[in-house]
Amino acid sequence: MNIQVDLTESNNVLEGFVRGEIDAHTAPVLREKLETYQSHQGLKAELDLSDVNYMDSTGLGVFVAFYKSVNANGGHVKLKGLSARLKRLFDITGLGDIMDIESVGKGGN
């Protein structure tokens, strides 16, 4: 189980690329990197998850916490490149209706 998180921030715009698996073992790495930016006022974050091949509820929790913090500080979070399987995780929890998510429509059910 492995995760790689690349984040670049410039002019209050955070671009991120996450690859690998997000689970109870790897989520703390993602959480720690995102926490660096979540309290920036008016942050515009766009996180590409197109190379995430697995995510469990721990990963959902990381993204929800980041989303809430950024929104509370007047910012916006967009998740993009989600496989159909990852998008479904957000949809069945109701988060797909709340968060800005762009899926690519590939992957399993």
Side-chain angles (χ1 to χ4, degrees):
M1 289 179 248
N2 207 2
I3 189 170
Q4 183 175 349
V5 182
D6 298 314
L7 301 175
T8 307
E9 190 265 335
S10 178
N11 297 321
N12 220 27
V13 175
L14 178 67
E15 294 186 9
F17 192 80
V18 182
R19 54 178 72 82
E21 298 180 357
I22 307 171
D23 58 22
H25 298 288
T26 60
V29 173
L30 177 61
R31 179 182 295 112
E32 182 179 317
K33 292 195 177 212
L34 291 175
E35 282 177 348
T36 304
Y37 302 96
Q38 69 187 19
S39 61
H40 291 197
Q41 289 295 321
L43 180 72
K44 304 296 181 220
E46 188 167 294
L47 304 175
D48 186 332
L49 306 182
S50 58
D51 279 351
V52 172
N53 49 36
Y54 176 81
M55 181 169 63
D56 66 11
S57 61
T58 312
L60 283 174
V62 170
F63 288 115
V64 168
F66 182 67
Y67 169 83
K68 286 177 148 183
S69 292
V70 170
N71 273 357
N73 288 300
H76 182 79
V77 176
K78 179 176 184 171
L79 303 179
K80 67 178 192 173
L82 278 71
S83 68
R85 180 171 291 195
L86 290 184
K87 176 71 166 71
R88 186 167 183 266
L89 281 176
F90 283 90
D91 288 344
I92 63 175
T93 59
L95 295 169
D97 295 330
I98 299 168
M99 300 176 77
D100 185 358
I101 297 175
E102 177 185 300
S103 63
V104 293
K106 67 176 184 179
N109 292 331

